[in-house]
């Protein structure tokens, strides 16, 4: 007698954040088809923010559940939920910085915001993946919408170039990752993280060529997404060319997703082979710190400077992956939260100045900001000092946490590299602070089209790529204000100082996230 097939059990409460993002993306896309401008330009962004806010609420509701869902292919635990909050916070920042911008107008409000929600959905899937197939599905669901979002300013050639570069490099990274995952599966015969870890711990596979090649290719593919040197070359160009709201979203949310999958894959599935891959990641961390900080020194574009800064920050956060402890995971999650606050504050000021001046994201656009807009001047100063790791900011405690994790697990030299890299970063962070408070008389070198010249580019080449720049402002006149960006800047700067003075709530949440990985000590 044949038994009746049983339907799989679905924990609807556990996957409620995923359901909220999926439903929100569909509704936003449909609303974007309506003709009323008040709906497209007002209701669609508002509903996107509400969707992300509801997802944050559902993630908090599920805190401490720590369950496997979808036949164990995903884990909805404190690590996934903590990262989900960061993804949604980055998404809210990206939406608010994009309000009134050309990107959502050119691409269509519904399509623009639905793509952003889809990318956040991919990040949640990626962070919670417990299976190689789920990992790749989340990776692509995260990446494909971002390729389009980078190119959404259709009338600006650099935006289209940014999307194309990201598509080409991202496709190469995806192919490399897929090949690496296939080799890991070939070596172990397993798809689930727990099963892979069990096979590695039971068998003597330390010198297995197939496994080592698979791990190396997997590291390479994920390093592209995390902007780890020497796989970071796309980062400055894509950050500069993409719309500022999308650049801010990529800088904070994509970074969190990349490190979320690094933490779970290497500290769960590949933890028995840590003696093989940990030294390689430690070397990559030091190279990334050096390349990022040195590359930022000569930049005149603020977005390129922050892109190289993000490369250096990726090097710092790799330390949390290398140490393979719960303390390392909690230190990485804490720093990801700090990184989100610091970077959103900086990008919000850039978004405001892009609309108020005719200098784009050139560092000269900040000249005299202390006299003209003292609130924004303080925000940018706080963001730069926090990124450098000054005391009384959340960035200081983030780096202390990472250094502590490195030293406790025998990687004191990696902690020294973080200290030296932070000292080197003062050279360009303080240059931005100086531009804010010291009014400069000099004009930036400009192309015949009237735009600042990119570092390392010729005026002729820049003219061909960018086309005409924005018209010059009459004396004493200011372009349209960007109140939402100002609000983001002030809130993030206040949180940067607030958590720098009282970091305990962030410490507690990061500790809970670290304890979700039961296989670590």
């Amino acid at each position: 007698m044949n038994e009746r097939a049983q339907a799989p059990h679905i924990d609807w409460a556990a996957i409620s954040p995923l359901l909220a993002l999926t439903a929100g993306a569909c509704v936003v896309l449909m609303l974007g088809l309506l003709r009323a401008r008040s709906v497209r330009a007002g209701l669609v962004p508002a509903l996107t923010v509400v969707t992300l806010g509801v997802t944050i609420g559902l993630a908090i509701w599920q805190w401490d559940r720590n369950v496997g869902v979808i036949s164990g292919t995903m884990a909805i635990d404190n690590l996934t939920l903590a990262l989900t909050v960061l993804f949604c916070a980055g998404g809210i920042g990206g939406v608010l910085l994009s309000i009134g911008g050309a990107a959502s107008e050119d691409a269509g409000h519904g399509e623009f915001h639905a793509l952003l929600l889809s990318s956040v959905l991919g990040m949640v899937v990626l962070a919670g993946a417990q299976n190689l197939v789920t990992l790749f599905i989340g990776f692509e669901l995260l990446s494909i919408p971002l390729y389009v979002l980078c190119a959404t300013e259709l009338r600006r050639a650099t935006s289209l170039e940014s999307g194309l570069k990201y598509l080409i490099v991202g496709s190469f990274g995806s192919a490399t990752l897929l090949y690496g995952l296939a080799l890991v599966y070939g070596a172990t015969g397993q798809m689930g993280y727990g099963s892979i870890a069990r096979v590695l711990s039971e068998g003597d596979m330390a010198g297995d060529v197939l496994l080592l090649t698979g791990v190396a290719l997997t590291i390479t593919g994920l390093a592209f997404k995390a902007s780890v040197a020497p796989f970071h070359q796309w980062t400055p160009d894509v950050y500069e060319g993409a719309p500022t709201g999308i650049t801010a979203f990529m800088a904070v949310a994509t970074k969190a997703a990349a490190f979320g999958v690094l933490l779970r894959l290497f500290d769960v599935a590949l933890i028995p082979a840590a003696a093989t891959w940990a030294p390689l990641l430690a070397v990559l961390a030091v190279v990334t710190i050096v390349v990022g900080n040195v590359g930022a020194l000569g930049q005149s574009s603020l977005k390129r400077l922050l892109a190289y800064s993000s490369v250096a920050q990726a090097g710092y956060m790799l330390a949390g992956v290398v140490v393979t402890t719960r303390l390392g995971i909690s230190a990485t999650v804490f720093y990801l939260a700090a990184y989100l606050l610091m970077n959103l504050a900086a990008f919000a000021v850039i978004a405001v100045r892009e609309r108020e001046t005719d200098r784009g994201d050139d560092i000269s656009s900040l000249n005299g900001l202390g006299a003209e807009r003292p609130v924004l001047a303080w925000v940018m100063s706080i963001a730069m000092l926090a990124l450098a790791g000054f005391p009384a900011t959340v960035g200081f405690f983030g780096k202390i946490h990472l250094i502590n994790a490195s030293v406790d697990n025998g990687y004191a030299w990696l902690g020294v590299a973080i200290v030296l890299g932070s000292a080197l970063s003062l050279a360009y962070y303080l240059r931005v602070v100086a531009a804010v408070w010291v009014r400069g008389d000099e004009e930036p070198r400009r192309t015949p089209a009237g735009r600042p010249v990119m570092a390392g580019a010729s005026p002729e080449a820049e003219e061909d790529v960018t086309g005409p720049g924005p018209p010059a402002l009459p004396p004493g006149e200011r372009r349209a204000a960007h109140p939402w960006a100002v609000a983001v800047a002030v809130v993030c700067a206040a949180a940067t100082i607030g958590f720098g003075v009282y970091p305990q709530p962030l410490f507690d949440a990061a500790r809970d996230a670290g304890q979700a990985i039961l296989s670590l000590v």
Side-chain angles (χ1 to χ4, degrees), residues 27 63 95 119 139 233 312 335 341 386 510:
V27 173
W63 196 259
V95 171
S119 184
F139 192 87
Q233 296 93 336
Y335 200 82
L341 295 172

Side-chain angles (χ1 to χ4, degrees), residues 194-397:
S195 301
I196 292 173
R198 186 171 59 254
V199 170
L200 293 181
S201 60
E202 291 174 354
D204 184 15
M205 303 186 68
D208 187 273
V209 175
L210 193 62
L211 175 67
L212 295 179
T213 306
V215 171
L217 290 175
T218 300
I219 290 175
T220 302
L222 294 175
F224 275 107
K225 188 62 66 181
S227 300
V228 172
F231 312 104
H232 69 289
Q233 296 93 336
W234 61 273
T235 310
D237 292 338
V238 172
Y239 275 36
E240 183 181 33
T244 301
I246 297 305
T247 301
F249 172 65
M250 289 175 57
V252 297
T254 306
K255 187 80 71 180
F259 276 93
V261 69
L262 280 169
L263 287 170
R264 196 178 292 279
L265 177 63
F266 285 91
D267 287 351
V268 176
L270 301 177
I271 189 67
T276 301
W277 55 259
L280 172 60
L281 282 186
V283 171
L284 279 180
V286 175
V287 171
T288 303
I289 291 170
V290 173
V291 170
N293 284 312
V294 172
L297 292 175
Q299 300 302 319
S300 61
S301 162
L302 289 168
K303 289 164 76 173
R304 290 181 72 87
L305 185 148
L306 289 176
Y308 278 108
S309 166
S310 79
V311 174
Q313 305 287 339
Y316 304 148
M317 286 184 275
L318 268 181
V321 182
V322 168
V323 298
T324 63
T325 62
R326 293 182 183 177
L327 179 60
I329 293 179
S330 65
T332 305
V333 172
F334 183 95
Y335 200 82
L336 284 170
Y339 180 79
L340 180 142
L341 295 172
M342 299 182 291
N343 272 267
L344 278 184
F347 278 110
V349 175
I350 294 172
V352 172
R353 296 305 283 176
E354 282 183 330
R355 297 197 188 186
E356 291 183 346
T357 74
D358 64 337
R359 298 185 181 185
D361 69 320
D362 191 90
I363 195 171
S364 63
S365 66
L366 299 179
N367 286 353
L369 187 63
E372 297 176 22
R373 305 289 298 274
V375 172
L376 292 181
W378 278 109
V379 167
M380 185 57 105
S381 300
I382 290 170
M384 293 297 107
L385 294 177
L387 285 167
F390 267 61
T393 67
V394 71
F396 170 76
F397 285 105

